Amino acid sequence: MTDMLEMPRVHECTVTDCGYNHDGCHAFAITIGQQNASCATFIDTSAKGGLDRVIAQVGACKRSDCQHNAELECHAPSIRVGPGQDIADCQTYQPS
């Protein structure tokens, strides 16, 4: 199991339509979904939310076929989120 202090950070998010993204992702933690490695935490809103002093981390990853995934936890040093097949996808996803 990954120690909370070792959870990968969201190094970059270029999805400007997400309510958590204002000068970086400010959700406490995000979930990467099964389809297209989408950011399941994405919320399409002009309202800005999250925690001002937080840089998001990866709380869960449902892509068990990713080379960075072990026991449904991300073990990449950090990840990038940006437009892909969906509005917000994990750009660090690599099929195993």
Side-chain angles (χ1 to χ4, degrees):
M1 176 182 235
T2 302
D3 184 42
M4 282 201 42
L5 297 176
E6 297 174 8
M7 293 171 69
R9 301 286 182 187
V10 178
H11 173 73
E12 177 184 44
C13 180
T14 59
V15 182
T16 57
D17 295 339
C18 182
Y20 289 112
N21 187 5
H22 41 101
D23 296 321
C25 182
H26 290 280
F28 180 74
I30 68 166
T31 296
I32 302 301
Q34 289 177 306
Q35 188 173 18
N36 304 326
S38 64
C39 177
T41 310
F42 169 81
I43 182 167
D44 187 3
T45 181
S46 61
K48 298 301 176 191
L51 305 168
D52 286 339
R53 296 182 182 180
V54 167
I55 297 174
Q57 51 200 346
V58 180
C61 179
K62 296 181 181 181
R63 289 304 303 249
S64 59
D65 64 335
C66 180
Q67 70 178 354
H68 300 294
N69 189 324
E71 300 173 341
L72 298 179
E73 293 189 22
C74 182
H75 290 271
S78 65
I79 71 160
R80 292 180 303 108
V81 175
Q85 291 185 25
D86 294 302
I87 294 171
D89 289 345
C90 177
Q91 303 293 305
T92 309
Y93 166 78
Q94 293 291 320
S96 51

